[in-house]
Amino acid sequence: MEKQVPHPKLQIAVIVSGHGRGSNFQAIVDATESGAVPARIRLLISTNSDCGAVGRAANHGIETLVLTPEKFDSEVAFDEAVAEAITSRGIDLICLAGYMRKLTPEFILQFRDRIMNIHPALLPAFGGQGMYGIHVHKAVIESGAKFSGATVHLVDEHYDHGPIVAQAVVSVADDDTPQTLADRVLRAEHRIYPEAIALFAEGRLSVNGRRVRVNS
Ligand code: GRF
């Protein structure tokens, strides 16, 4: 068996589900490879082999584990398999990047304050169950809001609810469609997700209740 050599950099696992593009995964890969984020993506976990992130991981020599939820007896059993993959590889930080499944309370307890997610709106507005993908941007436009944006947050037991790590604001234009707004927000996502991970990797985040402080 290959000997595990401890790696000095923060070790990240990215988790995705469905048939997504994997553009946030790519943004994190690029930022780790350029050195902007002092971390290494050790593992990609996907619920599906047919998605953007899996192909992108292959291009960058990143180990991929496909875990199919239907093959497990329960959500707890599925999350236990994810947890086992993560602990056995010495992962420090879990990044959800287009992961649509709700994590079990057991999983969140095990990795408390070590799971990040990105959401395509300014939480706590326009989050929660059903608020994903284009639905978010449709709801923002219908609300008449002048600004939207992206939020990186730590994951707790509720959808889109954990302590906020970073946000970026974008304008909502009068002639925006959900898609044009989604495109603008996505560019902000690609900027702030790596930035938030870098803060974590540099040990600069401290969590106090719902507030995350960025230490200099
Ligand atoms: C992003 O919009 C992210 O905010 C949400 O899922 C989407 C994933 O997109 N959580 P991609 O697969 O990273 O392109």
Side-chain angles (χ1 to χ4, degrees), residues 20-25 97-99 117-120 137 186 189-190:
R21 300 162 294 207
S23 71
N24 278 286
F25 174 72
Y99 188 63
N117 182 43
I118 181 120
H119 182 76
H137 308 294
L186 192 64
E189 293 182 40
H190 295 164

Side-chain angles (χ1 to χ4, degrees), residues 19-141:
H19 299 268
R21 300 162 294 207
S23 71
N24 278 286
F25 174 72
Q26 186 69 56
I28 301 167
V29 169
D30 293 345
T32 54
E33 289 187 351
S34 75
V37 173
R40 168 190 180 225
I41 302 183
R42 172 69 183 80
L43 178 67
L44 170 71
I45 299 177
S46 175
T47 60
N48 197 313
S49 58
D50 177 24
C51 71
V54 168
R56 294 171 189 271
N59 291 340
H60 291 265
I62 294 168
E63 183 192 358
T64 296
L65 181 63
V66 176
L67 292 174
T68 311
E70 295 73 37
K71 291 188 181 156
F72 291 82
D73 289 342
S74 64
E75 289 178 10
V76 170
F78 178 79
D79 278 7
E80 278 173 0
V82 174
E84 201 283 320
I86 284 167
T87 50
S88 65
R89 288 167 179 81
I91 302 293
D92 304 296
L93 175 67
I94 301 162
C95 295
L96 309 184
Y99 188 63
M100 303 299 294
R101 294 171 60 82
K102 195 156 188 255
L103 294 164
T104 56
E106 292 84 353
F107 187 92
I108 289 164
L109 191 64
Q110 190 174 351
F111 300 103
R112 171 85 59 198
D113 294 342
R114 294 200 288 138
I115 314 168
M116 278 187 183
N117 182 43
I118 181 120
H119 182 76
L122 292 175
L123 295 175
F126 304 107
Q129 197 158 15
M131 277 291 174
Y132 62 90
I134 209 72
H135 302 293
V136 178
H137 308 294
K138 200 164 172 287
V140 169
I141 289 173

Side-chain angles (χ1 to χ4, degrees), residues 21 119-122 125-127 130-145 147-151 170-173 176-189:
R21 300 162 294 207
H119 182 76
L122 292 175
F126 304 107
M131 277 291 174
Y132 62 90
I134 209 72
H135 302 293
V136 178
H137 308 294
K138 200 164 172 287
V140 169
I141 289 173
E142 282 172 3
S143 78
F147 295 97
S148 188
T151 302
V170 306
S171 294
V172 179
D176 261 335
T177 64
Q179 191 55 54
T180 59
L181 179 57
D183 294 344
R184 192 174 309 118
V185 169
L186 192 64
R187 288 194 291 277
E189 293 182 40

